[in-house]
Amino acid sequence: MKQLDWYFDFISPFAYLQHELLARAQMTESLHYHPVLFASLLNHWDNKGPAEIPPKRQWTFEHCVWLARKHGISLRMLPEHPFNPLPLLRLCLVLGSSAAVVSRLFSFVWQDGHLPTQTGHWQALLAELQVTPAMLDTPEIKQMLRLNGEKAIAAGVFGVPTTVVDGRCFWGLDSTDMLQAYLNGDDFFNSPDLLAARKMPYGLQRKITEKT
């Protein structure tokens, strides 16, 4: 099995949904988990997240609820979104970013509907996982998270979730079947159509004007 580097942030419902689908396909054992701060990717690529554009934000959550229903995946809306995912990302790193840890933290957010800002729920989770708040605040853990972000950017990752395999990026929940086809050796990935898509020349580019 090829090495699959999976970049994700617990803030993303699409990352949660994809993880559930990859688990059903028995692919999580092949994943190397890399928690990253989605906001740092947005800043690097000068992009906005879906939650920062009001109509896109509403559509995103409506679509996620639909996809969860379609695939029979439990999904609960949060008290608020966006939220600060840093405590969850650091907790994941402290515990080694294993498949079981990632699954537990996703369920804390997207199945139970909890956030790190909910003190009682958060303290109960830390107690369950035998982690103290001080363990999340070490220079080593912060540096690990920064390095994950740098590796993601170097690999061309611009959003979450993204799976990187053989230098190729498969971004988003809707790339799951494309990823599986690639791993199964689909001839499409050597086709003229894909080569033409990868070499599409730039045309007119939008001019960004400052608001007055």
Side-chain angles (χ1 to χ4, degrees), residues 1-176:
M1 176 65 70
K2 295 177 180 289
Q3 176 171 320
L4 308 180
D5 291 302
W6 196 61
Y7 293 91
F8 67 97
D9 188 338
F10 296 103
I11 200 170
S12 169
F14 291 113
Y16 161 64
L17 292 171
Q18 186 177 55
H19 190 259
E20 291 295 301
L21 293 181
L22 293 175
R24 288 183 181 181
Q26 299 182 333
M27 294 175 63
T28 54
E29 293 301 320
S30 303
L31 297 182
H32 293 246
Y33 292 94
H34 304 285
V36 295
L37 183 63
F38 180 36
S40 68
L41 300 181
L42 295 176
N43 289 339
H44 177 82
W45 298 111
D46 193 23
N47 198 3
K48 284 187 176 182
E52 296 176 285
I53 303 170
K56 189 174 184 179
R57 180 182 189 275
Q58 178 179 331
W59 166 251
T60 293
F61 291 115
E62 289 178 354
H63 193 205
C64 284
V65 171
W66 162 258
L67 291 169
R69 179 176 179 270
K70 174 184 176 182
H71 294 289
I73 297 173
S74 175
L75 178 70
R76 180 175 295 182
M77 288 294 99
L78 303 176
E80 60 185 26
H81 192 285
F83 61 91
N84 181 7
L86 281 173
L88 288 157
L89 296 169
R90 293 174 182 171
L91 178 57
C92 187
L93 289 167
V94 165
L95 295 171
S97 302
S98 68
V101 166
V102 171
S103 180
R104 178 66 187 96
L105 300 188
F106 268 128
S107 69
F108 175 80
V109 178
W110 293 109
Q111 291 183 20
D112 302 332
H114 298 326
L115 298 175
T117 51
Q118 296 174 312
T119 305
H121 293 305
W122 180 244
Q123 290 179 346
L125 179 67
L126 294 182
E128 172 194 331
L129 299 174
Q130 300 181 340
V131 173
T132 64
M135 294 168 67
L136 307 179
D137 202 36
T138 66
E140 293 78 11
I141 289 300
K142 293 178 181 180
Q143 178 65 3
M144 286 176 67
L145 187 57
R146 282 192 293 268
L147 288 176
N148 276 358
E150 292 172 5
K151 290 177 182 177
I153 290 167
V157 175
F158 56 86
V160 291
T162 294
T163 305
V164 179
V165 54
D166 294 339
R168 295 178 181 268
C169 289
F170 294 83
W171 167 61
L173 173 66
D174 52 0
S175 73
T176 306

Side-chain angles (χ1 to χ4, degrees), residues 182-195:
Y182 178 76
L183 295 174
N184 291 332
D186 195 306
D187 289 341
F188 166 78
F189 294 93
N190 295 313
S191 68
D193 288 340
L194 182 60
L195 181 62

